[in-house]
Amino acid sequence: MSTAEKTFSKGLEGVIAAQTEMSFINGTEGILEYVGIAIGDLASKSSFEETVFLLWNKRLPTKPELEQFTADLRSHYTLCDEMVTQIKSCPIKAEPMHVIRSMISMCAMYDENPNENSVEAARHKSMRILAVAPAIVAAFDRHRRGLEIVKADPSLNFASNFLYMLNGEKPTDAMVRAFDICMITHADHGLNNSTFAARVVISTLSDLYSAMTAAIGSLRGPLHGGANEGVMKMLNKIDSVETAEAHVMGMIKNKERIMGFGHRVYKAKDPRASELMTLAKQLAEDTGNMDLYNKSHAIEKIMEREYASKGIYPNVDFYSATTYHCIGLKLDLFTPMFVLARIAGWAGHVIEQLEDNRLFRPTTDYIGPHNAPYTPIEKR
Amino acid sequence: MSTAEKTFSKGLEGVIAAQTEMSFINGTEGILEYVGIAIGDLASKSSFEETVFLLWNKRLPTKPELEQFTADLRSHYTLCDEMVTQIKSCPIKAEPMHVIRSMISMCAMYDENPNENSVEAARHKSMRILAVAPAIVAAFDRHRRGLEIVKADPSLNFASNFLYMLNGEKPTDAMVRAFDICMITHADHGLNNSTFAARVVISTLSDLYSAMTAAIGSLRGPLHGGANEGVMKMLNKIDSVETAEAHVMGMIKNKERIMGFGHRVYKAKDPRASELMTLAKQLAEDTGNMDLYNKSHAIEKIMEREYASKGIYPNVDFYSATTYHCIGLKLDLFTPMFVLARIAGWAGHVIEQLEDNRLFRPTTDYIGPHNAPYTPIEKR
């Protein structure tokens, strides 16, 4: 019996399950790096496309490399006609996360060789899935709103193209930049649950679509990506900055969970939250949503006063909610935005797993009976 | 830093990741029990329906309980019209596993409350998914063969109804019993990869459909459920019993993997294989496939002679291949049969996870750089 076997760590907390060269998290000090580069530097200086290249190649691209990478991505922006038909066949009342999970799963049926798992094939499929996912989200949202589906525009960057397909008009520069930063800050984050699910699934040498589908299913959970919707729901229940104090203190008294605070990993400030706070404020100003920003900021101050000594700070979901609202996204599209960004991380981890695979097959602590008889039914 | 954190066990081998009261495996002695009852007893004396009740309730049912359980299951056999349309929209060249994963995912869209996660709701949804999965498999197979879809017959048991929907005629008693035993022996097996994937996904408090979809994606991998197709492919390459020896010894010499032998968990005989061997022989006799059975048996003898001292024995996939072939299933429906059975285990584990949940969130061993600068692109 190995050392690990003796220890049952619920939720595998503290258990190392994989090696990675992508993101490094120091929760105590509030540090997040992608391939060694501080998330703050990437958020302020890089683009989502460049960040994806960094995560997949473990280094920043040269100018020609970035141009090639971007051109490849853009060449896969457009949905095939069959996928458009499939999206239009989804019931309009369906939750977008169920639609996206199902549609990414279905993409396997329109791939000539869905099960290729060479590292090269995995990179190519990852690129295609990343490129087409925004089109799926936008197409379903327009379909359910009774609007014509807007075709992708390969002259636009990832962020701009998505907002264009969603709204049918070119977004402002501030919106594009804000969205781009959201994508960068959400692109990877160690062995979070969905990334772990993707690695677990690909370790059977299944396929990219299976791994991505599993990850999307995980992300929609309220203990994971679903949390950013919870923040907005909470903010909507608070009438104004003036009543925030009473509302939040009431929630604390009733032991209700204050959404968007605390994180299993971070005991200091979530370094992604700082970037988003600055961004959220600017966007709120630009879009006439300062009331929402002020409510968020008031809640942060109350929580800091009450819990900072316990290491409870706003997490990445807290200010991404305000940001997405200001961009004009409906509540149930918040978690799908997390999908668009995290596909980068899922794909990178799947590739790392394929490069040095070992089937995930942990063991259980069996706590049931032994040697039980099969009693015939008439004697039970 | 906990004890577990210091140990990196690749693939989480030997790491306890959950508690369970469902199945117990002793790989060294070749024991498999469901809730304490030996798999051999269940295979010879129980039914799949009763086994599912056992796994979900941790005890055998009384007669009225089993009648109620069976009636509930049968009441959900029939696909809704919308799902029939969705299945017919799948390209006929698609691999059935990609179809099943996508269709189970889509079922969420036709559930009024797909995200309910109370234990009661999870049981109800599990029952529905288990009941409808055979209809999805059969409907897609008939669709791709250009045949009319056959509606479920709620007067039939699980095994019989599936074979009826697939072939459009009532199966023989031997086929039904053989299929039922395959379902029983594949229903649960500790924290195999797909079951683990289901537990990982539901731990975000996502939903039953997300968890099942993840598990199906995992199962299709050749290192997991996909292996039973590999056995059949290998058997097809061997012309006759007479050439089996030369063929297998050639494979061993070339270090090719002999499909259907060895299992991460079992170092003794896989206890499920014994049950299936008896069954496979009888079915082969009934269906005029003794040549196939004899080839399998010859391979087993060669492997026993070469590797028994190393603990390499036929696993459950080895004789299930012969069984499924004799029942008349096409090769790419072998892994889907594993899905039908294992839904029972996945559901039981998901319910156990929901009863005492803790988010799975392991950690990584980060092996990349630190404090790397963001070099401007023109200086790279």
Side-chain angles (χ1 to χ4, degrees):
Chain A
M1 191 176 270
S2 73
T3 317
E5 198 164 351
K6 288 180 204 152
T7 317
F8 172 39
S9 185
K10 221 171 154 185
L12 293 175
E13 189 165 359
V15 174
I16 296 171
Q19 289 185 313
T20 185
E21 294 180 78
M22 288 164 61
S23 57
F24 170 75
I25 306 165
N26 178 328
T28 320
E29 294 178 34
I31 293 168
L32 172 63
E33 293 172 342
Y34 291 168
V35 198
I37 304 176
I39 191 69
D41 281 355
L42 291 165
S44 56
K45 298 171 191 165
S46 185
S47 66
F48 181 55
E49 284 83 345
E50 184 179 71
T51 301
V52 178
F53 184 100
L54 170 70
L55 289 168
W56 293 1
N57 296 279
K58 320 295 163 64
R59 63 176 177 81
L60 289 167
T62 62
K63 208 163 175 231
E65 283 174 336
L66 183 58
E67 280 164 5
Q68 183 60 54
F69 187 83
T70 303
D72 281 355
L73 188 69
R74 292 180 185 195
S75 74
H76 297 296
Y77 273 176
T78 308
L79 283 167
C80 65
D81 294 343
E82 292 84 353
M83 281 303 301
V84 172
T85 307
Q86 292 293 357
I87 293 165
K88 284 184 175 172
S89 83
C90 294
I92 58 170
K93 281 187 179 175
E95 180 192 289
M97 284 298 286
H98 291 304
V99 174
I100 299 161
R101 185 189 60 233
S102 305
M103 293 301 109
I104 292 291
S105 176
M106 280 207 143
C107 282
M109 301 188 196
Y110 302 103
D111 182 330
E112 290 275 306
N113 295 296
N115 306 335
E116 281 182 304
N117 272 334
S118 68
V119 169
E120 195 190 0
R123 278 168 175 269
H124 183 65
K125 286 181 202 308
S126 297
M127 178 77 94
R128 285 178 56 184
I129 294 170
L130 179 66
V132 91
I136 292 172
V137 178
F140 177 68
D141 187 57
R142 291 186 71 87
H143 163 63
R144 68 178 176 170
R145 286 190 281 156
L147 301 172
E148 276 297 306
I149 289 172
V150 176
K151 261 198 160 179
D153 181 348
S155 77
L156 302 174
N157 72 9
F158 184 90
S160 190
N161 176 52
F162 169 68
L163 293 169
Y164 166 66
M165 289 188 293
L166 188 77
N167 298 321
E169 54 188 42
K170 300 280 156 78
T172 66
D173 288 351
M175 282 179 184
V176 172
R177 187 67 195 131
F179 191 78
D180 206 45
I181 295 179
C182 283
M183 293 297 105
I184 293 170
T185 51
H186 285 79
D188 191 43
H189 203 240
L191 268 193
N192 56 86
N193 186 284
S194 56
T195 301
F196 183 46
R199 285 189 89 130
V200 167
V201 167
I202 202 67
S203 81
T204 70
L205 300 181
S206 187
D207 62 286
L208 258 284
Y209 302 96
S210 289
M212 293 287 178
T213 302
I216 296 168
S218 149
L219 196 76
R220 71 157 298 286
L223 299 188
H224 191 9
N228 63 1
E229 295 186 10
V231 174
M232 197 64 216
K233 284 180 194 155
M234 183 183 74
L235 288 170
N236 284 338
K237 279 187 196 155
I238 300 174
D239 294 331
S240 67
V241 182
E242 289 69 35
T243 59
E245 170 87 23
H247 191 99
V248 173
M249 292 309 291
M251 286 178 78
I252 292 172
K253 199 178 157 194
N254 294 332
K255 297 191 174 162
E256 287 173 63
R257 185 159 176 215
I258 314 292
M259 300 305 290
F261 283 82
H263 192 284
R264 166 98 72 98
V265 167
Y266 293 110
K267 304 305 168 199
K269 268 197 175 179
D270 183 335
R272 302 169 297 176
S274 315
E275 283 306 314
L276 283 175
M277 193 178 84
T278 318
L279 185 71
K281 189 175 181 182
Q282 193 195 315
L283 256 189
E285 270 176 10
D286 290 355
T287 59
N289 281 294
M290 275 309 281
D291 194 50
L292 186 68
Y293 174 80
N294 289 334
K295 279 195 283 184
S296 302
H297 194 61
I299 296 169
E300 186 182 354
K301 290 288 152 204
I302 297 163
M303 292 297 285
E304 203 174 298
R305 186 187 72 210
E306 300 290 323
Y307 292 112
S309 63
K310 293 185 184 168
I312 296 176
Y313 293 97
N315 59 38
V316 70
D317 300 319
F318 190 62
Y319 281 105
S320 69
T322 306
T323 308
Y324 290 143
H325 178 82
C326 293
I327 289 171
L329 295 173
K330 274 180 292 296
L331 189 60
D332 63 4
L333 292 182
F334 284 23
T335 313
M337 297 306 99
F338 201 163
V339 172
L340 301 188
R342 190 56 58 86
I343 286 171
W346 296 333
H349 278 270
V350 162
I351 293 166
E352 284 189 335
Q353 186 69 33
L354 286 170
E355 283 171 338
D356 183 27
N357 188 50
R358 174 96 173 121
L359 178 69
F360 279 99
R361 215 295 180 200
T363 186
T364 57
D365 175 21
Y366 177 74
I367 54 171
H370 286 291
N371 294 317
Y374 178 86
T375 316
I377 196 159
E378 58 276 11
K379 291 191 178 167
R380 287 174 204 157
Chain B
M1 193 178 271
S2 73
T3 316
E5 198 164 351
K6 286 179 209 154
T7 317
F8 172 39
S9 185
K10 221 171 154 185
L12 294 174
E13 189 165 0
V15 174
I16 295 171
Q19 290 184 313
T20 185
E21 294 179 78
M22 287 164 62
S23 57
F24 170 75
I25 305 164
N26 179 330
T28 320
E29 295 179 33
I31 294 168
L32 172 63
E33 294 173 341
Y34 291 168
V35 197
I37 303 176
I39 192 68
D41 282 356
L42 291 165
S44 56
K45 297 172 190 166
S46 185
S47 65
F48 181 55
E49 285 83 344
E50 184 178 71
T51 301
V52 178
F53 184 100
L54 170 69
L55 289 169
W56 291 2
N57 296 278
K58 319 295 161 66
R59 62 176 178 80
L60 290 167
T62 63
K63 207 163 176 233
E65 282 173 336
L66 183 58
E67 281 164 6
Q68 183 59 54
F69 187 83
T70 303
D72 280 355
L73 188 69
R74 293 181 184 195
S75 74
H76 297 296
Y77 273 175
T78 308
L79 283 167
C80 65
D81 294 342
E82 291 85 354
M83 280 305 300
V84 172
T85 307
Q86 292 292 357
I87 293 164
K88 285 183 175 172
S89 83
C90 293
I92 59 169
K93 280 186 179 177
E95 179 192 289
M97 285 298 285
H98 291 304
V99 173
I100 299 162
R101 184 190 61 233
S102 304
M103 292 302 109
I104 293 291
S105 176
M106 278 209 143
C107 283
M109 301 188 196
Y110 302 103
D111 182 331
E112 290 275 307
N113 295 296
N115 307 335
E116 281 181 305
N117 272 334
S118 67
V119 170
E120 195 189 0
R123 279 168 173 269
H124 183 65
K125 285 181 202 309
S126 298
M127 178 77 95
R128 285 179 56 187
I129 294 170
L130 179 65
V132 91
I136 291 172
V137 179
F140 177 68
D141 187 57
R142 291 187 71 86
H143 162 62
R144 68 178 177 168
R145 285 191 281 157
L147 300 172
E148 276 298 304
I149 289 172
V150 175
K151 260 199 160 179
D153 181 348
S155 77
L156 302 175
N157 72 9
F158 185 89
S160 189
N161 176 52
F162 168 67
L163 293 170
Y164 167 65
M165 289 188 293
L166 189 78
N167 298 322
E169 54 187 42
K170 300 282 156 76
T172 66
D173 288 352
M175 283 182 184
V176 172
R177 186 67 194 131
F179 191 79
D180 206 46
I181 295 179
C182 283
M183 293 294 108
I184 293 170
T185 51
H186 285 79
D188 192 42
H189 203 240
L191 269 194
N192 55 87
N193 186 284
S194 56
T195 301
F196 183 47
R199 285 189 91 132
V200 167
V201 167
I202 201 66
S203 81
T204 70
L205 299 181
S206 188
D207 63 286
L208 258 285
Y209 301 96
S210 290
M212 293 287 178
T213 302
I216 296 167
S218 149
L219 196 75
R220 73 158 295 288
L223 299 188
H224 191 10
N228 62 2
E229 295 186 10
V231 174
M232 197 64 216
K233 284 179 195 157
M234 185 182 73
L235 288 171
N236 284 338
K237 280 188 199 157
I238 300 174
D239 294 331
S240 67
V241 182
E242 288 69 35
T243 59
E245 170 87 22
H247 191 99
V248 172
M249 292 309 290
M251 287 179 77
I252 292 172
K253 199 178 158 193
N254 294 332
K255 296 190 176 166
E256 287 174 63
R257 187 161 172 212
I258 314 292
M259 300 306 289
F261 284 82
H263 192 283
R264 168 97 72 98
V265 167
Y266 294 109
K267 304 304 168 202
K269 267 197 174 180
D270 183 335
R272 301 169 297 175
S274 315
E275 283 307 312
L276 283 175
M277 193 178 84
T278 319
L279 185 70
K281 189 175 182 181
Q282 193 194 313
L283 257 188
E285 271 176 9
D286 290 357
T287 58
N289 282 294
M290 274 309 280
D291 194 51
L292 186 68
Y293 174 80
N294 288 334
K295 279 195 281 184
S296 303
H297 195 61
I299 296 169
E300 186 182 353
K301 289 290 152 202
I302 298 163
M303 292 296 286
E304 204 174 294
R305 186 187 71 210
E306 300 290 323
Y307 292 111
S309 63
K310 292 185 185 167
I312 297 177
Y313 293 97
N315 59 39
V316 70
D317 299 320
F318 189 64
Y319 281 105
S320 69
T322 306
T323 308
Y324 290 144
H325 178 82
C326 293
I327 288 171
L329 294 173
K330 272 178 293 295
L331 189 61
D332 64 3
L333 292 182
F334 284 22
T335 313
M337 297 306 98
F338 201 164
V339 172
L340 301 187
R342 191 54 59 84
I343 286 172
W346 295 334
H349 277 271
V350 162
I351 293 165
E352 283 189 335
Q353 187 67 32
L354 286 170
E355 282 173 337
D356 183 26
N357 189 50
R358 175 98 171 118
L359 178 69
F360 280 98
R361 213 300 179 198
T363 186
T364 56
D365 175 20
Y366 176 74
I367 53 170
H370 287 290
N371 294 315
Y374 178 85
T375 315
I377 195 158
E378 58 276 10
K379 292 191 179 167
R380 287 173 207 158

